[in-house]
Amino acid sequence: MTDLTAQSRKFQKELNSGTSSLVLLSVLNRSREPMYGYQIAKMLEDNGPDLPLMKQGTLYPVLRSLEENGLLESTVEPSVSGPPRRYYKITEDGRSALTEWLEIWKQTKKFVDAILKG
Amino acid sequence: MFNTVEEYLDALKVEMKGSDSALMQDALADAREHLSTALAVARESDAELNEAEALKIIVDEYGTPEETASAYREVERRTSPSLKPTAKPRSVLSRFFGIYEDPKAWGSLLYMLISLVTGIVYFTWVVTGLSLSLSLAIFIFGLVFAIFFIFSLRGLALLEGRLVESLLGVRMPRRPLFIQKGTTWFEGLKTNLMDKRVWLALVYMFLQMPLGILYFTLTVTLFSLSIGLMAAPLLQLIMLFPIVSFGSVQYFLPIWSLPVFLLAGFLVWTATMHLGKLIGTWHGRYAKWLLVSE
């Protein structure tokens, strides 16, 4: 990330603003147990590219806004090691949104790839 | 760069200066949760961990305070509050009667009715808790009670905040305030007693009863007045019931005046809706001022 120019960082940020919602919904859809922020961040890090595309701190406001829109729900539980943790779980609305978003993502990906290949 | 989680949070606080105080509180809670968890995980794998160095790697992945602050602001900008009405240019008349489809007005009226109950509960709790804390202070278990009471104030403040946000549409904290772990309970009590938020919440809870009585009385009085005015023609025409009575003398209203009464009742109710919305806006601001402070 440090090698990128300011312009490229801005481009990456703009891309992330859409994809991070999709990624988070899909992670929580696949997970059987409710997950907390750090867990999700670790999971993304383990599965992601070598060069992290987004800062972990940017995931939290997205989780919060997804919850506000009713796509996720959360509970706070105390933890042994420190402050209480917020566990997120996908809702029914979230699942149906994910199905639609995946379709949009597929279309977008196909379109962009087609244009880029020329 | 940062030696402790607290230092990072302080820097984040500086970065978020000027943004909504409730948003800041959420951002701080999230950062605290993540950084502490990450640090605890790192400590598990290496007992003789250099905290500052570990934190450097963690913050590198989490993002600088500047990046984190901008992420929160960005998302908040994109998410509009659920009760924000879509602004359309409208005439004075449709603005006046359009209040009926304004969720904020209905929410405010509901809040004004509920505030009598919550006001009495808060007041009773605060007065009982405060007097018991003071009078039991001579015993050891008095301290335990005082701690319990102070923690309950934080909980009540959060609850009231949720109520204010959902009914009055004012952004309030969605996370409880966190108190540093690893300190003794006595230090915890000391931090709490020095925390102005606890005292402001106490004042709020105390004042909520007189305000609740005022709000409830106002709503019920105006509502009864408008129902009475609207019901007058009905009573006189159908039930043959004289509306005006002075002592033993009773009058029937002239027929032409009946629609006027109906209209007057409707206007009083519409005006009450506007008043409710205005009070709701004021109360929202006041609640934010007392319950959410940096």
Side-chain angles (χ1 to χ4, degrees):
Chain A
M1 275 295 255
T2 44
D3 306 321
L4 293 179
T5 61
Q7 237 167 17
S8 307
R9 271 204 300 272
K10 185 167 176 284
F11 177 66
Q12 178 72 63
K13 217 172 115 185
E14 281 168 2
L15 275 184
N16 287 349
S17 75
T19 49
S20 50
S21 301
L22 177 66
V23 166
L24 289 174
L25 265 194
S26 128
V27 166
L28 287 165
N29 184 42
R30 222 171 299 159
S31 156
R32 280 190 201 153
E33 304 284 319
M35 290 172 87
Y36 57 93
Y38 180 77
Q39 241 178 344
I40 299 173
K42 271 287 143 208
M43 214 215 104
L44 292 181
E45 189 190 289
D46 294 344
N47 291 310
D50 299 334
L51 203 69
L53 296 178
M54 51 185 111
K55 294 287 178 182
Q56 293 168 345
T58 60
L59 299 177
Y60 287 83
V62 179
L63 283 171
R64 225 157 40 76
S65 105
L66 287 173
E67 186 190 1
E68 224 163 289
N69 291 319
L71 305 182
L72 298 180
E73 54 190 21
S74 74
T75 46
V76 180
E77 272 164 44
S79 72
V80 206
S81 58
R85 285 175 189 154
R86 187 161 284 266
Y87 285 82
Y88 290 93
K89 199 172 98 186
I90 194 164
T91 62
E92 265 321 300
D93 281 356
R95 271 183 232 281
S96 49
L98 179 62
T99 324
E100 283 171 30
W101 292 6
L102 275 175
E103 195 43 47
I104 296 172
W105 169 249
K106 268 182 218 150
Q107 296 293 335
T108 313
K109 193 166 170 281
K110 214 164 92 187
F111 167 72
V112 174
D113 279 346
I115 297 290
L116 291 184
K117 268 180 216 146
Chain B
M1 206 166 136
F2 303 104
N3 292 319
T4 60
V5 174
E6 291 307 315
E7 275 181 38
Y8 181 91
L9 294 177
D10 285 341
L12 184 57
K13 226 182 268 179
V14 173
E15 281 298 330
M16 294 201 73
K17 218 165 194 92
S19 18
D20 189 287
S21 48
L23 181 70
M24 187 194 313
Q25 199 167 305
D26 284 353
L28 291 175
D30 286 340
R32 191 193 295 276
E33 177 191 323
H34 185 98
L35 299 179
S36 313
T37 311
L39 208 56
V41 170
R43 215 179 277 134
E44 255 167 46
S45 54
D46 177 11
E48 289 150 27
L49 180 84
N50 181 337
E51 196 154 305
E53 266 170 41
L55 203 59
K56 190 181 172 299
I57 300 168
I58 292 167
V59 168
D60 214 37
E61 285 173 347
Y62 188 75
T64 61
E66 193 190 350
E67 286 168 322
T68 310
S70 89
Y72 278 88
R73 269 199 293 266
E74 180 65 23
V75 171
E76 187 79 354
R77 196 175 56 74
R78 273 186 282 147
T79 344
S80 54
S82 51
L83 287 177
K84 200 180 254 177
T86 43
K88 270 179 277 171
R90 294 192 298 179
S91 70
V92 178
L93 211 63
S94 76
R95 265 217 308 272
F96 183 68
F97 290 108
I99 192 83
Y100 285 100
E101 54 170 34
D102 189 342
K104 226 175 151 175
W106 290 108
S108 296
L109 285 179
L110 192 59
Y111 180 84
M112 287 166 75
L113 289 176
I114 293 174
S115 63
L116 178 71
V117 182
T118 52
I120 291 174
V121 172
Y122 296 156
F123 183 87
T124 317
W125 183 242
V126 165
V127 170
T128 317
L130 207 58
S131 41
L132 275 180
S133 300
L134 289 180
S135 56
L136 294 179
I138 49 166
F139 304 113
I140 294 291
F141 70 86
L143 271 175
V144 179
F145 182 81
I147 294 172
F148 167 71
F149 173 62
I150 282 166
F151 273 90
S152 80
L153 277 182
R154 286 173 180 271
L156 278 182
L158 183 74
L159 180 82
E160 173 66 14
R162 307 310 308 141
L163 206 61
V164 166
E165 180 168 337
S166 49
L167 290 179
L168 304 182
V170 177
R171 177 75 166 76
M172 295 292 274
R174 291 166 196 163
R175 305 273 188 283
L177 285 164
F178 175 70
I179 303 136
Q180 187 60 35
K181 277 239 170 101
T183 47
T184 63
W185 57 269
F186 186 68
E187 279 169 45
L189 181 68
K190 214 171 74 185
T191 345
N192 262 306
L193 286 176
M194 308 274 274
D195 193 342
K196 77 168 189 237
R197 278 173 297 209
V198 172
W199 296 104
L200 286 177
L202 197 116
V203 171
Y204 181 91
M205 303 288 157
F206 195 78
L207 289 178
Q208 196 61 9
M209 183 162 87
L211 280 178
I213 292 175
L214 183 74
Y215 293 162
F216 184 85
T217 318
L218 207 61
T219 317
V220 171
T221 310
L222 288 171
F223 186 57
S224 320
L225 180 67
S226 80
I227 294 274
L229 285 171
M230 285 195 267
L234 199 74
L235 286 175
Q236 183 168 315
L237 286 177
I238 299 170
M239 302 175 73
L240 294 174
F241 183 78
I243 298 302
V244 188
S245 69
F246 292 110
S248 56
V249 191
Q250 295 180 321
Y251 300 96
F252 279 93
L253 295 167
I255 290 295
W256 60 263
S257 72
L258 296 182
V260 179
F261 273 83
L262 197 70
L263 188 68
F266 179 62
L267 286 180
V268 168
W269 183 239
T270 316
T272 308
M273 297 278 294
H274 279 281
L275 181 70
K277 192 182 168 188
L278 195 67
I279 291 181
T281 315
W282 284 342
H283 189 90
R285 262 187 233 151
Y286 152 81
K288 190 157 197 169
W289 177 60
L290 274 187
L291 295 179
V292 193
S293 56
E294 289 103 71

